[in-house]
Amino acid sequence: MTPRRRSVLEVLRAAGAPLGVNEVAERVGVHANTARFHLDSLVARGAVERTPEASSGRGRPRAVYAPRRGMDRGGRREYRLLARMLLSRLASTGADAEAEAVEAGRAWGRHLVDPAPPFHTVTGREAVDRLVGLLADLGFDPVDPVNPVDPVNDVPDDVPDVIRLRHCPFLELAEEYRKIVCPLHLGLMKGALAELDAPVAADRLEPFAEPDVCHAHFVHARAA
């Protein structure tokens, strides 16, 4: 938030009652048009409310402004720090940390995938298409297909045995906590395919199989 905009907000907070544009401009020491510009910006970001002033006279009531109650939602965020704090705690739990990460991902994969219609049997191809769409929405930039069907794993319906993930939306965290973040991603894929009751399953995730790509490997669901 700019210093001038913060000054406008502080004037409203100190007023004790809603103020009009001219009152704000006078107290801040700026032109009315400048005050209106900053007030509109504060309204747009949710820090200030604009309402019509109650009036018993004729004519259109003027707009007045008051700070929105509650904490300022426009401040700085530190979600990466929060993620690091939680990941470091999970990583400290020892041998069970990786399995816990897979299970957390599995639960969210079930929640996030677009469900199939009732009484519809999902093919392997359709399941992977839905999974690829989910991964794309989450920022993994998946490439499908790249490899032919693996005759050993017997992946059904001409589904590729490998999907390449060209972007990691949690890259810095994956580099620091690979043993937690990558299993979380694998669990997410497992959960999504399980929710679809798909004939194909996520088998393993190969982090940074290429310098700029991770490989997600798939097998027939009976082999998983």
Side-chain angles (χ1 to χ4, degrees), residues 50-65:
R50 177 174 51 222
T51 58
E53 185 179 40
S55 175
S56 58
R58 295 183 178 182
R60 182 178 180 181
R62 67 169 184 160
V64 292
Y65 300 81

Side-chain angles (χ1 to χ4, degrees), residues 26-224:
E26 181 179 352
R27 298 186 189 193
V28 176
V30 297
H31 191 276
N33 288 340
T34 301
R36 183 177 290 106
F37 169 77
H38 290 299
L39 286 166
D40 289 344
S41 296
L42 290 167
V43 169
R45 68 183 293 174
V48 167
E49 292 180 317
R50 177 174 51 222
T51 58
E53 185 179 40
S55 175
S56 58
R58 295 183 178 182
R60 182 178 180 181
R62 67 169 184 160
V64 292
Y65 300 81
R68 185 182 294 275
R69 297 185 64 182
M71 189 167 289
D72 180 9
R73 306 188 68 85
R76 179 178 175 180
R77 300 291 191 266
E78 285 289 354
Y79 292 127
R80 184 182 296 178
L81 175 58
L82 172 62
R84 291 184 66 201
M85 294 166 66
L86 297 176
L87 286 170
S88 66
R89 172 57 184 156
L90 181 56
S92 72
T93 60
D96 294 335
E98 183 173 337
E100 290 293 329
V102 171
E103 288 308 306
R106 193 192 304 270
W108 275 96
R110 286 184 174 275
H111 172 70
L112 292 173
V113 71
D114 289 333
F119 313 112
H120 176 72
T121 299
V122 177
T123 66
R125 177 70 265 170
E126 180 184 358
V128 169
D129 286 344
R130 288 175 180 268
L131 177 62
V132 166
L134 171 61
L135 294 173
D137 289 343
L138 294 175
F140 287 93
D141 194 15
V143 179
D144 165 46
V146 295
N147 289 338
V149 173
D150 183 342
V152 176
N153 290 329
D154 188 28
V155 182
D157 299 319
D158 295 327
V159 172
D161 64 317
V162 174
I163 287 178
R164 300 168 71 237
L165 307 176
R166 298 180 296 188
H167 180 261
C168 178
F170 314 115
L171 179 60
E172 292 79 11
L173 295 172
E175 291 172 337
E176 186 174 0
Y177 295 101
R178 183 179 302 186
K179 292 184 178 180
I180 303 296
V181 176
C182 295
L184 185 74
H185 295 165
L186 176 62
L188 188 147
M189 291 184 280
K190 286 179 175 291
L193 293 172
E195 180 67 18
L196 295 171
D197 195 21
V200 63
D203 179 50
R204 60 191 174 92
L205 179 63
E206 189 178 359
F208 310 109
E210 304 171 41
D212 55 351
V213 171
C214 297
H215 288 180
H217 294 261
F218 298 87
V219 296
H220 196 288
R222 290 195 300 269

